Amino acid sequence: MDDFVVVETSDEIYIQTTRIDIKTFAVEHRAGSADQHFNSEVLAAPEVVDMMKAWLASGDDAITDQHSGTKTAL
């Protein structure tokens, strides 16, 4: 079973994370439509927390300004 932390502000607008391995986390964020769904890998739990706090405070722009993301496959 996968363990996720998900923060959602409305339908299809969210940020979520799960641990990939002992040092790496996957972080995904979506800003509505499928073409606005991105993921990135983060190497430290405090950085994941910072990303989520920035996303809550400033929305999607705060994430894309600080971290490169890859669009998820449709």
Side-chain angles (χ1 to χ4, degrees), residues 6-68:
V6 181
V7 178
E8 181 179 47
T9 57
S10 64
D11 288 343
E12 303 301 324
I13 299 176
Y14 60 83
I15 187 168
Q16 67 182 16
T17 187
T18 189
R19 185 183 291 270
I20 296 172
D21 60 36
I22 194 72
K23 294 183 178 181
T24 311
F25 297 85
V27 177
E28 296 183 16
H29 58 99
R30 184 172 175 134
S33 62
D35 68 330
Q36 295 299 311
H37 191 175
F38 300 91
N39 64 50
S40 40
E41 289 186 8
V42 179
L43 299 177
E47 188 175 352
V48 174
V49 172
D50 289 345
M51 287 175 75
M52 290 184 144
K53 287 171 34 178
W55 182 84
L56 280 169
S58 302
D60 206 50
D61 292 338
I63 301 299
T64 55
D65 288 349
Q66 296 177 8
H67 301 276
S68 62

